[in-house]
Amino acid sequence: MERLTATYHLRSRPEDVEARAAALATEQSLELPPSAVRDPWIVRELLGRVEHVEPVGADLFRVRLTLALETTGLEAGQLLNMLFGNCALQEDVELHDVEFPPALLAAFAGPAFGVAGLRERVGAWGRPLTCTALKPQGLSPQQLAELAHNLALAGLDFVKDDHGLANQRFAPFAERVRAVSKAVDKANRITGGRTCYVPNLQGSPEKVLEQACIAREEGVGAVMLEPMIVGLPFFHELTREVGMPVLAHPAFAGQRIRPALLFGKLFRLFGADAVIYPNYGGRFSYSRPTCLELAANARRPWGHLRPALPVPAGGMGLERVPEMKAAYGPDTLLLIGGALLSAGDGLLERAREFVERVAKG
Amino acid sequence: MERLTATYHLRSRPEDVEARAAALATEQSLELPPSAVRDPWIVRELLGRVEHVEPVGADLFRVRLTLALETTGLEAGQLLNMLFGNCALQEDVELHDVEFPPALLAAFAGPAFGVAGLRERVGAWGRPLTCTALKPQGLSPQQLAELAHNLALAGLDFVKDDHGLANQRFAPFAERVRAVSKAVDKANRITGGRTCYVPNLQGSPEKVLEQACIAREEGVGAVMLEPMIVGLPFFHELTREVGMPVLAHPAFAGQRIRPALLFGKLFRLFGADAVIYPNYGGRFSYSRPTCLELAANARRPWGHLRPALPVPAGGMGLERVPEMKAAYGPDTLLLIGGALLSAGDGLLERAREFVERVAKG
């Protein structure tokens, strides 16, 4: 029976680690002491197996388990349950990495558009793509539309809703999407460009599907969701059915799952065409190696899965552009939000400068 | 404009904490420096406000913010986004507590059945209720049905699927639910009791709704879900529509959100009739005060919301029954899984002993 490999980081005293690792293997599979299981094939095949334990720091160990593929039901929710169900409640455990055998990979669609699909949408090749966010909360649909119009005039590839724009009274989803979409279209007719507006979908599946319909009716080119809020199984279902590229936003992703795995592998597996994450040197504390590994995971050849576009973000400014281009290369979506918006009357000019700096060889 | 209050624990050097708290308030609201916002009413009304900062430990502070109610859109997903969206990615922040003003509370249904509804379902009053879990993974529908038959004969109130039973090949959902449901009904006809089988629903909304239909067709009395896996907005939508009590399982709940808040308040707000959590002194590390506060939150008078039943679990044995009865009182569901199942041929007897110990005054 085929198995998948999950690697955990486990805090433990060295003298306890073997027993702790065995307990983890039981917790993440049978949840019953093997001695209490009557069917020998269940213990032989379905019990998690500790394959390797090695120290990686003081009282910190890397533990490789294998789990029987069949226990995942080849489905997103139960896969998460097997990888990090009960042990998510144990603070000494971090999910570090997962190796997906071909039979598991085959069960997931991955990005429906991927890097190439996103490039086609905006007609841009051979350079990083550009993106900014409409904010703050509180602006009316008309104010957001004006903002978007200027940003599209500047030639940005993507203008997305901030993740804080949901369906609030000051800018209800339908009105906002209609107004912004029109404003971006108008700017595109002026420039001959193809700026793509990306509304944020939020709420229960019923509401999100309604919002996706509205977005489609308005001719919007892509959408954004927060997979950890709406739920990864729903996210995966939606990416297969929505018919346009999906940007994944990291909000609520406070699990003890290594970012390079969660954003680089799992979000991609479940269909994210682009993966937004907090870049090093911004308002968040991810390290440079973490971010580069995340980006590498998002783009590397991986079975039938299209590559996803990494979107380093979170407090980036224009001065970071050359360094980010050098670090990430062309298949990257550079997202600068606040640093553009804080230009006030100089918004159009600063947005143009962003576009030019990215285009510059 | 009405506001809700969110309390965070923030790790910070004392000299930095005021600035760090202000940055948190911005991150969780406008996500833009106030100086970059042109509309004064947005800063005045929608910017998060630091109301109070006090030390609670070495380099640890309690920070009370208020957030404008309207920014939540009065909806589960966006509420989570406002409370713990981006700051979930900042490891120095833990969401500690939330105070919900009446207008926010009114937007959520809470438990559709609650403690009284669960008691009616099994016809038991004035004592703690009893529950066990069908496991391990790998048993066939027929084997699970035999197990359930014996457990129902013993007079347990609830027999639930282990959260690891999803839709795997060895016990597909429809076959399992049909077989177990029949076996429990048969035992009920023998004993005259009202044991309630609780299948576990897992997967994308489409799959979960299919499973809920099957469960309803089989006459099942309640269902279980993992809200953190299927997504809290979907969980809330489902609890309003499924027409039977819903037990919430804590799998994948590894967020830095205080358990008394997440399980005791948020799961209840979003409609959990019973809330399973790792009890102190078991396989998990929650403290006794944490567990008692969680249970108190689940049951305390709270606007129009019915009380939810706390379900302390995770490595409990029969010897814990008197102490758990004393600690939690009658409005509790005592869940003992492995310690019953490991009795092998003595299962019926040990399950009866569990029932008797709970019934004993």
Side-chain angles (χ1 to χ4, degrees):
Chain A
M1 196 181 280
E2 218 170 343
R3 300 180 78 81
L4 74 132
T5 303
T7 308
Y8 300 86
H9 276 192
L10 199 54
R11 294 217 160 268
S12 171
R13 294 186 306 180
E15 59 270 34
D16 300 331
V17 71
E18 292 294 337
R20 182 66 191 89
L24 180 65
T26 301
E27 191 72 53
Q28 289 309 108
S29 54
L30 303 186
E31 255 201 278
L32 204 56
S35 62
V37 180
R38 298 175 131 197
D39 241 319
W41 87 265
I42 291 181
V43 176
R44 199 173 58 237
E45 298 291 347
L46 302 190
L47 179 63
R49 289 179 203 150
V50 179
E51 298 288 345
H52 190 68
V53 176
E54 61 178 346
V56 289
D59 288 345
L60 186 66
F61 295 83
R62 182 181 294 129
V63 175
R64 277 169 59 97
L65 298 186
T66 65
L67 300 167
L69 204 54
E70 284 204 26
T71 59
T72 69
L74 300 177
E75 180 276 315
Q78 178 58 12
L79 172 62
L80 295 173
N81 204 10
M82 291 306 300
L83 293 174
F84 204 57
N86 274 2
C87 73
L89 302 164
Q90 296 174 321
E91 293 204 347
D92 56 350
V93 184
E94 180 196 325
L95 179 60
H96 198 71
D97 210 353
V98 181
E99 292 163 39
F100 300 84
L104 184 56
L105 220 52
F108 297 95
F113 295 84
V115 176
L118 285 164
R119 287 198 177 284
E120 273 170 33
R121 195 123 305 210
V122 296
W125 290 269
R127 60 159 174 85
L129 301 176
T130 55
C131 183
T132 192
L134 299 174
K135 53 184 167 181
Q137 297 180 327
L139 296 182
S140 68
Q142 206 41 53
Q143 289 173 310
L144 292 164
E146 280 169 33
L147 208 50
H149 183 74
N150 275 327
L151 293 161
L153 280 183
L156 280 156
D157 296 310
F158 295 92
V159 174
K160 75 170 191 67
D161 282 345
D162 189 40
H163 72 110
L165 303 190
N167 190 32
Q168 297 105 331
R169 208 171 55 171
F170 34 74
F173 184 87
E175 287 177 46
R176 176 175 88 242
V177 172
R178 196 165 304 130
V180 174
S181 184
K182 280 211 176 75
V184 169
D185 287 350
K186 194 173 142 199
N188 280 338
R189 283 195 300 273
I190 295 170
T191 62
R194 290 163 65 176
T195 298
C196 176
Y197 168 47
V198 187
N200 178 45
L201 314 186
Q202 178 61 280
S204 69
E206 197 178 296
K207 295 295 172 196
V208 166
L209 294 172
E210 277 174 28
Q211 292 165 9
C213 276
I214 293 169
R216 209 177 291 113
E217 282 166 17
E218 296 299 329
V220 150
V223 293
M224 181 171 86
L225 282 106
E226 289 81 55
M228 299 304 279
I229 292 181
V230 300
L232 285 161
F234 175 51
F235 180 76
H236 184 230
E237 186 175 289
L238 185 99
T239 58
R240 283 173 301 175
E241 292 170 9
V242 73
M244 53 186 135
V246 176
L247 279 63
H249 186 284
F252 204 60
Q255 297 277 9
R256 291 182 316 285
I257 303 178
R258 198 163 57 113
L261 168 63
L262 180 60
F263 301 124
K265 288 190 179 180
L266 292 172
F267 277 24
R268 178 181 176 191
L269 186 71
F270 298 146
D273 297 289
V275 178
I276 304 169
Y277 60 93
N279 197 31
Y280 58 91
R283 296 197 309 273
F284 299 82
S285 62
Y286 287 14
S287 71
R288 191 171 190 273
T290 287
C291 293
L292 295 181
E293 189 187 357
L294 191 168
N297 279 349
R299 296 182 295 206
R300 76 170 84 244
W302 193 23
H304 68 287
L305 302 184
R306 290 185 181 85
L309 200 57
V311 190
M316 299 297 105
L318 295 196
E319 75 289 354
R320 292 287 303 268
V321 170
E323 179 262 321
M324 288 171 75
K325 285 175 68 174
Y328 286 109
D331 281 342
T332 306
L333 178 53
L334 300 182
L335 168 52
I336 298 184
L340 297 190
L341 298 173
S342 60
D345 289 334
L347 176 69
L348 181 60
E349 198 179 349
R350 197 178 292 179
R352 279 189 174 134
E353 198 186 329
F354 175 31
V355 170
E356 279 160 21
R357 284 200 194 189
V358 173
K360 205 159 62 184
Chain B
M1 195 181 282
E2 220 172 343
R3 300 179 77 80
L4 74 132
T5 304
T7 309
Y8 300 85
H9 276 192
L10 198 53
R11 296 217 158 269
S12 171
R13 294 186 307 181
E15 60 269 35
D16 300 332
V17 72
E18 292 294 337
R20 182 67 191 86
L24 179 64
T26 301
E27 191 71 54
Q28 289 310 107
S29 55
L30 303 185
E31 254 201 280
L32 204 57
S35 62
V37 179
R38 297 175 133 195
D39 241 319
W41 85 267
I42 291 182
V43 175
R44 198 174 58 238
E45 298 291 345
L46 302 189
L47 179 62
R49 288 180 204 150
V50 180
E51 298 288 344
H52 190 68
V53 176
E54 62 179 344
V56 289
D59 288 346
L60 185 66
F61 295 84
R62 182 180 294 129
V63 175
R64 278 169 59 97
L65 298 187
T66 65
L67 300 168
L69 204 56
E70 285 205 25
T71 60
T72 69
L74 300 176
E75 180 276 315
Q78 179 58 12
L79 173 63
L80 295 174
N81 203 9
M82 291 307 299
L83 293 175
F84 204 58
N86 273 2
C87 72
L89 302 163
Q90 296 174 321
E91 294 203 346
D92 55 352
V93 185
E94 179 195 325
L95 179 60
H96 198 70
D97 209 353
V98 181
E99 291 162 41
F100 300 85
L104 184 55
L105 219 52
F108 297 95
F113 295 85
V115 175
L118 285 163
R119 287 198 177 283
E120 272 170 35
R121 194 122 308 210
V122 296
W125 290 269
R127 62 160 173 84
L129 301 176
T130 54
C131 182
T132 192
L134 299 174
K135 51 184 168 182
Q137 298 180 327
L139 296 182
S140 68
Q142 207 40 54
Q143 289 173 309
L144 292 165
E146 280 167 34
L147 208 50
H149 183 75
N150 276 326
L151 292 162
L153 280 183
L156 281 155
D157 296 311
F158 294 93
V159 174
K160 74 170 194 66
D161 283 346
D162 188 42
H163 73 109
L165 303 191
N167 190 31
Q168 298 104 332
R169 210 172 52 171
F170 34 75
F173 183 86
E175 287 177 47
R176 177 175 88 242
V177 172
R178 196 166 305 130
V180 174
S181 184
K182 278 210 177 73
V184 169
D185 287 348
K186 194 174 143 200
N188 281 338
R189 282 194 301 273
I190 294 170
T191 62
R194 291 163 66 175
T195 299
C196 176
Y197 169 48
V198 186
N200 177 45
L201 314 186
Q202 179 60 280
S204 70
E206 197 178 296
K207 295 294 172 198
V208 166
L209 293 173
E210 277 174 28
Q211 292 165 9
C213 277
I214 294 169
R216 209 177 292 114
E217 282 166 17
E218 296 299 330
V220 151
V223 294
M224 181 172 85
L225 282 106
E226 288 82 54
M228 300 303 279
I229 293 181
V230 301
L232 284 161
F234 174 50
F235 180 76
H236 184 232
E237 186 175 289
L238 186 99
T239 58
R240 283 173 301 173
E241 293 171 9
V242 74
M244 53 187 136
V246 176
L247 280 63
H249 187 284
F252 203 59
Q255 296 278 7
R256 290 183 317 284
I257 303 177
R258 199 164 56 112
L261 168 63
L262 180 59
F263 301 125
K265 289 190 179 180
L266 292 171
F267 277 23
R268 178 181 174 190
L269 187 71
F270 298 147
D273 297 289
V275 178
I276 304 169
Y277 61 93
N279 197 28
Y280 57 92
R283 297 197 308 275
F284 298 82
S285 61
Y286 286 16
S287 72
R288 190 169 189 273
T290 287
C291 293
L292 295 182
E293 189 187 357
L294 190 167
N297 279 349
R299 295 182 295 206
R300 78 170 82 246
W302 193 22
H304 67 288
L305 301 184
R306 291 185 181 85
L309 199 58
V311 191
M316 299 297 104
L318 295 196
E319 74 290 353
R320 293 288 302 269
V321 169
E323 180 263 322
M324 287 170 76
K325 283 174 70 174
Y328 287 110
D331 280 343
T332 306
L333 177 53
L334 300 182
L335 168 51
I336 298 185
L340 297 190
L341 298 172
S342 60
D345 290 333
L347 175 69
L348 182 59
E349 199 180 348
R350 196 177 293 180
R352 278 190 175 135
E353 199 186 330
F354 175 32
V355 170
E356 280 159 23
R357 286 199 192 191
V358 172
K360 207 159 57 184

